[in-house]
Amino acid sequence: MSEVKAVLFDFSGTLFRLEEDESWFHGIAVDDREVDGHVQAELMHRMTAPTGQHVEMTPEAHRVWVNRDLAPHLHREAYLHMLRESGLADEHAESLYGLLIDPMNWTPYPDTAEVLQGLHRKHIRTAVVSNIAFDVRPAFVSLGAAEFVDEFVLSFEVGAVKPDPAIFEFALDRLAVDAASALMIGDSDEADGGARAVGCRFALVDPLPTTERPDGLRTALSGYGVAV
């Protein structure tokens, strides 16, 4: 097995997680009923699940949903449709969507910053490879870790969505490493695991709440002989 010279990271559920504040749901009702903890959890799942369709969709709505991470306007249309079909009034759907796309609302996993810094110190190249339609760089700036990420390969900027091999090839080209020397870490075997098709190794992490996964990234790396 060749030495790991680059690590590609998914964003949502891997490096950061969207974790709600109770205040987000104050005054919000679903089908005219007050939102409880179970409904909150389901709405958060629908907003962050990397794959799947969660509500009934017309063929046109499904086309927009499938392509949502290729452009901000498609992302907005897709998620507002999903939230409305989940029973939210227009103004509440708009409010939750605004929270979703604010990178300052995303919580880093406890080992995110230290892992990125540790890889940088070891001269192991890194890229964030995400299916997303808004700029996540400010989240890394806020964490003090932006300087430790060599490349951001975001679907809406490169025009390809995981598991399309093209997005992984973009990342490898930018990092100037071959696939056999790269490791992809993500929370979706379907989307992130697509890196295996181009020859990368792959490690799956569980998108648990951040308080319940203190060292998931370190564990994933150690499985491939990388200690940080």
Side-chain angles (χ1 to χ4, degrees), residues 52-75:
Q53 177 184 318
H54 314 291
V55 297
E56 289 295 319
M57 294 182 182
T58 65
E60 173 58 18
H62 182 260
R63 182 193 68 81
V64 171
W65 180 255
V66 168
N67 291 290
R68 66 192 183 280
D69 291 317
L70 290 173
H73 74 280
L74 295 175
H75 192 268

Side-chain angles (χ1 to χ4, degrees), residues 109-170:
Y109 277 93
D111 56 349
T112 291
E114 291 179 358
V115 161
L116 291 172
Q117 184 175 14
L119 292 171
H120 179 76
R121 192 181 297 121
K122 286 178 170 288
H123 306 291
I124 294 175
R125 304 270 286 163
T126 59
V128 174
V129 183
S130 179
N131 287 352
I132 207 153
F134 60 92
D135 188 4
V136 299
R137 293 174 182 86
F140 293 84
V141 173
S142 177
L143 185 61
E147 65 188 290
F148 306 128
V149 179
D150 294 298
E151 297 289 343
F152 287 88
V153 183
L154 310 182
S155 59
F156 81 105
E157 293 180 341
V158 301
V161 174
K162 296 178 290 187
D164 184 343
I167 194 168
F168 303 110
E169 290 167 348
F170 277 126

